[in-house]
Amino acid sequence: MNEFELIGRYFKRPTPSALLGVGDDAAIVRPTPGHDLHMSVDMLVEGRHFFADVAPRALGHKALAVNLSDLAAMGARPRWALLSLALPKADEAWVAEFAAGFLALADAHGVELIGGDTTCGPLTLSVTILGEAPAGQALRRAAAKAGDDIWVSGELGLGALSVRQRLGWLNVNDAELLAAARYKLEYPEPRLALGAVLLPLAHAAADVSDGLMADLGHILDESAVAAEVWADALPSHPALEARRGEFLACLAAGGDDYELVFTAAPAKRAAIEAAAAARGCRVSRIGRIVAGKGARLLDSAGVEIKLDKDGYDHFG
């Protein structure tokens, strides 16, 4: 296949909500009146963000999921996506599987693919996502307040566990746990429903992609506050509970979770728990915002736990 055959066969689809989709030099969209447009872009590079043997369908899912997670953290509804692919070769079977994974997740969340680009090169994927939220109502990192609770969705540590096991940094013999960890790594679930319902409940939010402590740190920096995080409260897979100390670095700083960390006033606790439960999403209260600077990870006695690093460094 040449470039245009590849695009036409696998990525050109009807785009009923866009004024103009794939086929011209640029797409045209019109946001809903009274809404702000949200935009985010993420890049995935083979050997840096994913293993070379990952199934193309899983890679298609994840390429979109990591962008949807960014919109979830803002409380935004996803609408349109642009996809750019650098491929070593135009492998039709690979592209078909990749497209199936990408488009299945897009369809599940009402996202229309409206454009992009393809070229030959080392396997690299880049997605730009566009979404919207009611004007002035976005969740932002700069709104945390001293006294807020700190919450996180889902479970932490599984994606990082899978990566570290494959790299030989950990020795885990639990086949069921490893299967769950690999699935979490390759098929993250963007918390869009939770993000939307948090708009009137939370003060600040971020998606947990590089590690809890690192991504919480972005909220703290932007809000000019500090945090106390309770190590024993970090939510994990049941199989990790008995080995929490051994896997603490995965839970607190491992990355590849694609959960939401957010802050809210204590008066909102019951409403947050009810809203999350109604959407089938686990949420855990893991600490509190305080005056000062930086985040401290504390054990059950209130003693600070020092980590080698707070999260993933893309240039580290």
Side-chain angles (χ1 to χ4, degrees):
M1 292 183 296
N2 65 34
E3 176 184 6
F4 299 103
E5 289 171 336
L6 184 152
I7 293 169
R9 187 173 302 178
Y10 295 106
F11 298 110
K12 188 170 185 177
R13 319 173 79 210
T15 54
S17 76
L19 301 181
L20 185 64
V22 175
D24 275 70
D25 289 305
I28 305 173
V29 299
R30 182 174 295 155
T32 303
H35 286 63
D36 293 330
L37 193 62
H38 293 236
M39 293 164 280
S40 181
V41 62
D42 267 297
M43 186 183 301
L44 299 179
V45 180
E46 183 180 73
R48 191 65 181 174
H49 300 100
F50 58 90
F51 292 103
D53 63 350
V54 66
R57 185 177 292 256
L59 193 55
H61 173 100
K62 187 167 184 176
L64 180 58
V66 301
N67 285 81
L68 295 179
S69 185
D70 287 332
L71 289 191
M74 304 289 287
R77 172 195 172 199
R79 298 292 308 279
W80 305 285
L82 298 104
L83 168 66
S84 292
L85 296 173
L87 303 171
K89 60 180 180 178
D91 181 334
E92 188 168 355
W94 191 98
V95 171
E97 282 294 293
F98 175 90
F102 185 98
L103 296 173
L105 186 61
D107 289 345
H109 292 288
V111 176
E112 295 179 5
L113 182 61
I114 58 171
D117 192 23
T118 60
T119 190
C120 182
L123 184 56
T124 304
L125 323 167
S126 181
V127 175
T128 299
I129 193 79
L130 295 91
E132 57 188 22
Q137 294 188 34
L139 296 172
R140 298 183 57 195
R141 295 175 177 179
K145 302 176 182 180
D148 276 1
D149 294 327
I150 303 170
W151 298 79
V152 73
S153 66
E155 297 173 345
L156 301 173
L158 286 178
L161 185 151
S162 183
V163 170
R164 295 178 185 205
Q165 171 77 7
R166 293 203 61 187
L167 292 174
W169 299 353
L170 293 175
N171 183 20
V172 180
N173 297 314
D174 185 330
E176 183 176 347
L177 174 60
L178 288 176
R182 182 157 185 171
Y183 189 85
K184 175 73 170 182
L185 175 67
E186 296 183 352
Y187 285 93
E189 178 185 353
R191 301 296 186 180
L192 288 160
L194 178 64
V197 80
L198 289 177
L199 278 175
L201 300 175
H203 287 153
D207 96 307
V208 183
S209 54
D210 293 330
L212 172 69
M213 298 300 284
D215 291 311
L216 174 60
H218 300 318
I219 292 176
L220 304 181
D221 291 344
E222 293 294 324
S223 299
V225 291
E228 296 175 352
V229 179
W230 309 318
D232 288 352
L234 300 183
S236 65
H237 189 278
L240 294 182
E241 284 299 326
R243 304 169 68 182
R244 174 176 288 271
E246 182 181 353
F247 295 109
L248 183 59
C250 291
L251 297 172
D256 266 310
D257 294 304
Y258 298 101
E259 299 292 349
L260 301 185
V261 58
F262 58 96
T263 80
K268 300 294 186 180
R269 288 175 188 172
I272 288 169
E273 290 173 342
R279 285 148 186 83
C281 182
R282 175 183 180 181
V283 290
S284 303
R285 191 160 52 90
I286 61 166
R288 65 190 183 106
I289 298 294
V290 297
K293 185 176 181 179
R296 299 170 66 227
L297 182 64
L298 306 177
D299 67 14
S300 58
V303 177
E304 185 172 2
I305 300 169
K306 295 292 188 180
L307 299 170
D308 291 337
K309 58 181 182 178
D310 288 339
Y312 179 74
D313 180 358
H314 292 263
F315 289 92

